[in-house]
Every structure is written in structure tokens, then in C-alpha cells.
Amino acid sequence: MIKPETTRWWLVRHAPVENPEGLVYGRSDMPVDLSDEKALRAVARHLPRDAVWVTSHLSRTLDTALKLQELIDEDVIPTRESGFAEQHFGAWELQHWNDLPKGETTQFWTDFARQQPPNGESFSDVVDRVGPLFSRLNRYWVGRDIVAVIHGGTVRAIMANALGLSLEAALSFHIDTLGLTKLEYITGVEEPGWRVTAVNQRY
């Protein structure tokens, strides 16, 4: 008889970035602001011990993860996965929204789930990129707690893949910095599958 097992994902969006000029920064490696220790400590209190830790390759996710580990006295080297990076805005990266060509941005916002910025990714591309990595890690770490400190777009892409959501439905979720989303995958039962226990919880 197969024993039921639950794999739990703890999806944390990184802390706010230092971006006083309001630049487009999807894939760009912007510094993170870790000054709000009260907010960080509140999130850390809800994270599991003895978990697998994963971040994207961008420093704002790794630095947030290391700070959260410090606050709960964990010492786990996070696995850095470039496949969990934020959406790539191509030629728009590190530009002011108001300085971008109006024709390009107008076309993008007519269907931002599927439209690509010049030399960049659509949200659909992000969902396709994240899906195989998410599935592989979910199989490899079956039965474990997985803390993934990632990006707002990546959290939405994971939800789209796990729950079979349309692009529009996935984009309807608002994911704050330091928001916590929790998913569980149950195996060893007649109908294995996902359940959602929290979305964008703030403490």
C-alpha cells in the first residue's frame, strides 16, 4: 500500500527592491531593501524548519532568503535556479515606463499575458519556462517542505502550472513583496493533486 505524502511549497516574494527612479527591472539584478526587519521577522516565523530552500539566480531573492534563514536560525545553502527568474522585459529593462515607445507599450497592454516586449518574454513564456522546473523539483523533493523565495511573476506562473489556470486567471492574483503563498501536492491517494492553503498572506 502506497503511503500518502504531502509536498508543501512555501512561495515567498522577495523583499522590496531599491528602485527610487521607478525603472522597469524584471530580469535586471536590482538591490533589495532588507531594512524592514519587523516584516521579515513576521514572515520568517511562519516558515518551516528543515526545509529545502530555492531562489532564482537574482540577488534580491538570495539576499531575502538568507535574511529569512538568519531570523529562524537556519543554515541551508539555497539552490539558485535561473528558471525561476522574473519576466524578462527585454529592451525595456532599466528604462522608465514613460520613456518607452507608446506604440510598443500600447500593444503590450492590450494582451500582456501573451505580448512580448522587444527581445523579452510574455507572461505565457514565463509560465512555459517555470513549468518544467517546478514539476522536476516537486518530484525530486516529494514529501518535503520547499521554501522558494522568488518573484511575483514566478509565483503566478507556478500557480498557473499547478492549478491549470488560464493566463488571465493567474495574472489576477496580486502578489506583494514578502507575501507568502502556500501550495500542497498530495500523492499516494486515489486522486493525487494540488490544494491551496494560502495566497499572498501578509503578516
Side-chain angles (χ1 to χ4, degrees), residues 169-185:
L171 284 169
S172 70
F173 288 100
H174 181 72
I175 306 297
D176 290 301
T177 51
L178 296 178
L180 174 61
T181 297
K182 295 186 285 185
L183 305 178
E184 296 181 347
Y185 188 69

Side-chain angles (χ1 to χ4, degrees), residues 128-146:
D128 290 343
R129 163 167 57 80
V130 167
L133 173 58
F134 174 60
S135 296
R136 176 171 62 80
L137 294 178
N138 194 60
R139 290 192 303 269
Y140 188 82
W141 296 112
V142 63
R144 296 290 303 275
D145 287 295
I146 305 167

Side-chain angles (χ1 to χ4, degrees), residues 56-176:
S56 79
H57 69 295
L58 296 173
S59 65
R60 60 184 181 267
T61 62
L62 179 62
D63 291 347
T64 301
L66 294 177
K67 182 62 177 180
L68 291 170
Q69 287 187 358
E70 175 189 322
L71 293 171
I72 60 174
D73 197 26
E74 285 279 87
D75 186 17
V76 179
I77 298 175
T79 300
R80 304 182 74 177
E81 297 283 1
S82 61
F84 277 164
E86 183 58 284
Q87 183 173 349
H88 190 359
F89 286 95
W92 297 353
E93 293 276 337
L94 300 182
Q95 305 297 313
H96 290 279
W97 280 107
N98 291 338
D99 294 338
L100 299 175
K102 297 301 181 186
E104 292 179 0
T105 55
T106 298
Q107 183 179 9
F108 178 74
W109 290 117
T110 59
D111 184 10
F112 58 90
R114 297 170 183 82
Q115 291 289 340
Q116 297 171 327
N119 301 316
E121 293 179 300
S122 67
F123 178 65
S124 178
D125 294 329
V126 178
V127 172
D128 290 343
R129 163 167 57 80
V130 167
L133 173 58
F134 174 60
S135 296
R136 176 171 62 80
L137 294 178
N138 194 60
R139 290 192 303 269
Y140 188 82
W141 296 112
V142 63
R144 296 290 303 275
D145 287 295
I146 305 167
V147 178
V149 183
I150 45 179
H151 308 269
T154 317
V155 172
R156 296 183 189 97
I158 285 176
M159 294 180 72
N161 279 283
L163 306 176
L165 301 177
S166 69
L167 299 176
E168 290 76 12
L171 284 169
S172 70
F173 288 100
H174 181 72
I175 306 297
D176 290 301

